[in-house]
Amino acid sequence: MVNYYQPIVNPLDVNEIKYEALVRIIDEKGSVVSPFYFLDIAKQSRYYAQITQVVMRKAVEFIQKTGYQVSVNLSILDIEEPRIRDYLLEQLSSIARGKLTFEITESESIGDYQVVQNFITQVKALGAKIAIDDFGSGYSNFSYLVDMQADYLKIDGSIIKQILTDQNSWLVATSIVDIANKLGITVVAE
């Protein structure tokens, strides 16, 4: 398993350098395998927790080596699993404040809101930021903006890719941006 680091670009400040850690597997032929082909299967096995831990450990090493800000994707399953939660908090305490963002993906519904909110409170106290990933798809709704105490909101690419050709996509995107701005949340277009 390896992390690839995708740049997150701020068009208003090209000197602001951030990255998103993206997990990949290199197969026996040396080909790069997208998580599309293995992550759902891993979620049904004991390997999923190991994937999250490896991604986090490698992201922490990257931050310590480069000093760059990095985002790491977490699922609700990650947050609700005590062993993973404890590992994430332990790793977070070893890096500089403000260098890590947890992007909470919305591929599953939240089983225990209190556990998720406690985790968010803990990581924010340790200097991490929270992003809501893929907003506008899956289980996302506007209550997430309040409940998740988000610093960033990433509008799903399925909405963004059509804003120049589809009036409804434009209206949805601009409405999300307007609400996020009023709540003091920075918006990212995927």
Side-chain angles (χ1 to χ4, degrees):
M1 255 183 304
V2 298
N3 282 2
Y4 277 43
Y5 294 95
Q6 174 179 289
I8 300 172
V9 179
N10 180 348
L12 302 176
D13 183 359
V14 294
N15 295 319
E16 183 179 327
I17 300 173
K18 295 181 183 181
Y19 292 93
E20 180 177 357
L22 303 172
V23 67
R24 300 292 186 262
I25 290 177
I26 308 299
D27 69 15
E28 63 279 350
K29 296 177 186 174
S31 298
V32 178
V33 180
S34 164
F36 175 81
Y37 296 103
F38 64 86
L39 208 52
D40 285 339
I41 295 167
K43 283 182 180 179
Q44 300 169 24
S45 73
R46 60 186 166 92
Y47 296 110
Y48 183 70
Q50 292 173 344
I51 292 171
T52 300
Q53 290 172 332
V54 168
V55 169
M56 182 65 179
R57 180 178 46 79
K58 290 181 180 218
V60 168
E61 290 169 1
F62 182 79
I63 292 167
Q64 290 170 334
K65 180 179 176 182
T66 66
Y68 291 135
Q69 293 181 21
V70 174
S71 293
V72 172
N73 291 309
L74 293 181
S75 71
I76 296 302
L77 294 175
D78 292 323
I79 297 169
E80 291 180 337
E81 171 58 46
R83 182 173 51 122
I84 296 175
R85 237 186 3 255
D86 291 343
Y87 181 81
L88 295 170
L89 291 167
E90 174 189 314
Q91 291 294 304
L92 180 57
S93 66
S94 71
I95 58 175
R97 296 179 68 81
K99 293 294 183 180
L100 185 74
T101 298
F102 287 117
E103 292 190 14
I104 300 175
T105 59
E106 301 178 275
S107 54
E108 304 89 19
S109 63
I110 296 175
D112 189 337
Y113 268 95
Q114 193 59 52
V115 167
V116 174
Q117 288 178 324
N118 288 345
F119 174 78
I120 289 170
T121 300
Q122 288 177 299
V123 299
K124 289 183 84 124
L126 291 170
K129 302 283 187 194
I130 297 294
I132 298 174
D133 198 13
D134 300 329
F135 191 81
S137 68
Y139 292 92
S140 65
N141 62 57
F142 287 101
S143 69
Y144 265 61
L145 298 179
V146 176
D147 295 340
M148 296 293 181
Q149 306 167 45
D151 299 290
Y152 303 101
L153 178 69
K154 295 179 74 175
I155 302 175
D156 189 70
S158 64
I159 296 170
I160 297 302
K161 71 181 180 181
Q162 298 180 43
I163 62 173
L164 296 178
T165 58
D166 179 60
Q167 181 66 24
N168 289 336
S169 293
W170 170 258
L171 290 171
V172 168
T174 56
S175 296
I176 292 170
V177 169
D178 184 50
I179 290 170
N181 284 338
K182 288 177 178 171
L183 291 171
I185 301 170
T186 302
V187 178
V188 177
E190 291 190 314

